[in-house]
Amino acid sequence: MSLVAPFETSFGIQTERDILLLKATTSAGEGWGECVAGEEPTYSSEYVDGAQHVLVHHLLPRLFESGSLVAEDVARILRPVHGHQMAKAAIEMAVLDAQLRSSGESFGKYLGAVMSEVDCGVSVGIHRTIPELLQTVGGYLDQGYRRIKLKIKPGWDVEPVRAVRERFGDVPLQVDANTAYSVSDAEHLAELDAFDLLLIEQPLPEEEVLAHAELARVVRTRICLDESIISAQAAADAIQLGACQVINIKPGRVGGYLEARRIHDVCASHGVPVWMGGMLETGLGRAGNVAMAALPNFTLPGDTSASDRYYHRDITEPFVLREGRLAVPAGPGLGVTVDLEFLDQITHSVETVRRERRAARAAG
Ligand code: NPQ
Ligand code: MG
């Protein structure tokens, strides 16, 4: 799927997304999962071809061996395979969608949503010049987005933040470095304290959790972790270390919506606010994310932007911004319908993995 505009981060420029979808065909019916891995392993170690390989050769065979299952069993069955949270999340999402479509319950209801719509922010890529950045930010504010996140990197940080503050006043503003700094940049990052940001997201490499705690003693602005938080255990540890005061939850990054809900709960019990991240999802991933963002401790606007922030045409009915909010789907499962004809047009490969049936084994 080509993006409406190039999206530049400290780890590269995206002009399109090659997305792995997983359709589960079960005795209860069909369900859809979306794998959020990018084409290259530059956000995290996962990438889409690797995810497809581990799904086909390691994860799905274990799932099929276990016989009957529900979504709540998926993480335990797949635990012997280390890592690969994005691939695991896609399976759990598809199984959960099938299960909920069959029982008639929505993702929101199942996960514990307490709101019927959610406040939305938008993530703004690195631009070539400040005037171009201001034009983009102005456009999003005109559309009603309730919070702006600027992607930053060394050489593109204090000046773009200053320019957005000067032009747009006290709009809710935060920054995301995607691991681009080192702890020796602490004094420089502290210059951002002058701009009353909501938070600084993942300034340091994902393994450097303790260094984030050191940074938090120099920088007054709250530190938010994204890449470092791969599980509820990692979230609890980071909070106890003082490495973060806010957490970005991405269900794909942590192995699925069920682990994401545990992170939500751990954070709530420690008084740490969370917000829903984004991975340039289609309407499928967006539907699940918007549902989860309606849980009570999602108290900051998420990167749950409208479909048209990324795509001219989505593979489901589009999510449309209304007064800076998106409606939580209320229908069974994800509550959105895949446009199968359009999906077929843009699909470049399909791989079918079947559970071996006893009869087939006996015969063969
Ligand atoms: C973040 N998302 O919060 C990510 C980064 C990101 C909306 O800023 C392909 C795969 C493209 C993963 C682009 C936002 C991606 C990607 C951006 C992740 O850090
Ligand atoms: Mg991030």
Side-chain angles (χ1 to χ4, degrees):
M1 296 173 75
S2 41
L3 297 175
V4 298
F7 184 51
E8 180 168 352
T9 63
S10 59
F11 60 87
I13 305 181
Q14 302 282 322
T15 56
E16 54 175 30
R17 283 288 267 118
D18 178 16
I19 297 172
L20 174 62
L21 298 180
L22 192 151
K23 183 173 85 175
T25 306
T26 80
S27 56
E30 285 182 354
W32 289 91
E34 175 166 346
C35 180
V36 300
E39 267 184 273
E40 292 192 275
T42 48
Y43 164 80
S44 73
S45 64
E46 291 188 83
Y47 63 104
V48 67
D49 289 347
Q52 184 167 346
H53 188 280
V54 79
L55 274 163
V56 171
H57 296 281
H58 302 280
L59 300 177
L60 292 173
R62 285 173 188 274
L63 205 70
F64 291 153
E65 246 171 50
S66 82
S68 173
L69 87 161
V70 290
E72 295 80 0
D73 295 335
V74 170
R76 179 180 48 77
I77 293 166
L78 302 181
R79 190 158 303 135
V81 175
H82 290 222
H84 300 284
Q85 289 93 339
M86 293 175 181
K88 291 174 176 177
I91 299 185
E92 188 194 77
M93 178 179 172
V95 173
L96 182 57
D97 186 36
Q99 193 170 310
L100 295 178
R101 281 182 200 266
S102 150
S103 69
E105 192 177 21
S106 69
F107 255 60
K109 177 92 193 322
Y110 173 84
L111 292 170
V114 295
M115 294 171 278
S116 59
E117 47 182 25
V118 299
D119 286 354
C120 297
V122 60
S123 177
V124 182
I126 291 163
H127 281 55
R128 281 189 30 253
T129 66
I130 289 193
E132 287 168 293
L133 173 72
L134 294 177
Q135 183 165 1
T136 299
V137 169
Y140 289 138
L141 290 173
D142 290 344
Q143 289 172 44
Y145 284 104
R146 289 170 178 268
R147 178 225 76 197
I148 299 293
K149 161 168 137 181
L150 301 182
K151 289 292 191 179
I152 59 167
K153 65 177 181 182
W156 180 267
D157 45 33
V158 175
E159 291 318 313
V161 168
R162 184 196 313 282
V164 168
R165 264 287 174 258
E166 280 176 2
R167 172 72 64 89
F168 301 108
D170 59 3
V171 53
L173 186 63
Q174 63 192 53
V175 295
D176 184 4
N178 287 111
T179 76
Y181 293 86
S182 82
V183 73
S184 63
D185 295 316
E187 296 292 341
H188 176 69
L189 289 169
E191 290 178 41
L192 293 170
D193 286 341
F195 304 104
D196 196 25
L197 301 178
L198 291 166
L199 55 89
I200 300 177
E201 182 179 347
Q202 197 71 43
L204 310 179
E206 58 198 276
E207 310 83 354
E208 297 185 19
V209 177
L210 186 59
H212 281 95
E214 290 170 32
L215 184 66
R217 287 193 281 273
V218 180
V219 176
R220 268 194 303 108
T221 308
R222 290 185 293 183
I223 306 290
C224 170
L225 291 177
D226 172 358
E227 286 89 332
S228 296
I229 306 300
I230 57 168
S231 64
Q233 184 65 59
D237 291 357
I239 291 167
Q240 194 176 339
L241 267 176
C244 62
Q245 293 75 48
V246 182
I247 285 180
N248 164 334
I249 295 183
K250 289 174 179 164
R253 193 191 65 226
V254 306
Y257 286 93
L258 300 182
E259 186 72 4
R261 184 172 58 184
R262 283 190 280 274
I263 296 177
H264 166 273
D265 295 348
V266 163
C267 289
S269 73
H270 287 86
V272 170
V274 302
W275 54 279
M276 178 55 62
M279 293 290 277
L280 288 54
E281 289 90 348
T282 72
L284 288 168
R286 204 164 296 286
N289 290 354
V290 168
M292 172 148 249
L295 268 62
N297 195 37
F298 282 83
T299 52
L300 291 163
D303 283 344
T304 46
S305 302
S307 301
D308 70 359
R309 155 70 182 87
Y310 294 112
Y311 303 113
H312 288 296
R313 182 174 175 186
D314 207 333
I315 60 165
T316 65
E317 56 273 46
F319 281 81
V320 179
L321 207 64
R322 250 197 44 228
E323 295 182 39
R325 300 191 177 96
L326 290 179
V328 176
L334 290 168
V336 290
T337 305
V338 176
D339 180 344
L340 294 172
E341 198 174 311
F342 178 54
L343 178 60
D344 185 58
Q345 279 172 37
I346 61 173
T347 296
H348 60 78
S349 80
V350 177
E351 188 166 6
T352 305
V353 187
R354 285 177 204 285
R355 178 175 173 195
E356 246 180 84
R357 273 180 267 128
R358 279 187 198 291
R361 250 203 311 271

